[in-house]
Amino acid sequence: MNEIVVPIVSTSDAAWAAAEAVSLHRTDPSARIHLLNVQRPLPKHVSQFFNRNDLREFHHESGMRTLEPAMRILAEAGVPHDVHVLVGHPAETIVRFAEDHDCRQIVVDEPSIGVLSMLGLGSIGSQVRHLMHEHARAAATAATSTSIAPRV
């Protein structure tokens, strides 16, 4: 099955990301769509005044508000999807989620041209692309560094 992550960073991302997910699902109806929102953790000087359940509920509600427009678009198009709200650094959490769920695709915005995006410091999409490139390079290095001694 083709697992696809569709990270939604803000409600302004929802329409184009959901449209892309609908298009990908129509191309491959067996594709499984994972809508993902990553909430940044609250600073410690703020979070120390709340218990874990309140923080979890706050992040979940904020994430669901962000995902709601995309969920509506996918539901109207009849595209089945799973919804996930996580807390962490957005780009790192998106890449880790994709790896943990064996996702073959991550839907991100168009790459921008510039020094910041080349260094992985631009949008969340450019950071995700940078991390995926780094992970692919590390995996290729690990694969080639394993050698088999020739038979004598």
Side-chain angles (χ1 to χ4, degrees), residues 148-152:
I148 301 173
R151 281 187 135 164
V152 180

Side-chain angles (χ1 to χ4, degrees), residues 9-152:
V9 177
S10 69
T11 54
S12 61
D13 296 337
W16 73 263
E20 184 65 23
V22 169
S23 175
L24 290 168
H25 187 266
R26 286 189 178 141
T27 303
D28 179 4
S30 71
R32 184 171 176 192
I33 306 295
H34 296 275
L35 290 180
L36 173 64
N37 175 260
V38 179
Q39 294 286 304
R40 292 182 186 271
L42 293 174
K44 290 207 186 291
H45 69 276
V46 173
S47 65
Q48 69 182 345
F49 297 107
F50 300 94
N51 68 46
R52 288 180 192 219
N53 289 335
D54 289 341
L55 289 172
R56 191 176 300 122
E57 186 176 329
F58 169 76
H59 287 301
H60 182 75
E61 287 176 5
S62 297
M64 292 304 286
R65 274 193 305 275
T66 302
L67 292 172
E68 194 279 326
M71 292 166 48
R72 188 173 355 98
I73 291 167
L74 292 178
E76 289 171 359
V79 176
H81 56 279
D82 296 326
V83 178
H84 311 272
V85 177
L86 302 175
V87 178
H89 180 275
E92 292 170 3
T93 305
I94 291 164
V95 171
R96 187 172 42 255
F97 178 91
E99 291 172 345
D100 291 348
H101 289 81
D102 296 322
C103 296
R104 296 172 63 199
Q105 289 180 279
I106 301 175
V107 175
V108 294
D109 57 351
E110 289 291 322
S112 58
I113 308 291
V115 174
L116 290 179
S117 65
M118 290 185 335
L119 296 173
L121 300 173
S123 69
I124 299 297
S126 66
Q127 292 175 36
V128 166
R129 276 189 294 282
H130 179 76
L131 287 172
M132 291 301 293
H133 179 71
E134 291 298 314
H135 283 243
R137 192 171 355 160
T141 301
T144 58
S145 66
T146 310
S147 60
I148 301 173
R151 281 187 135 164
V152 180

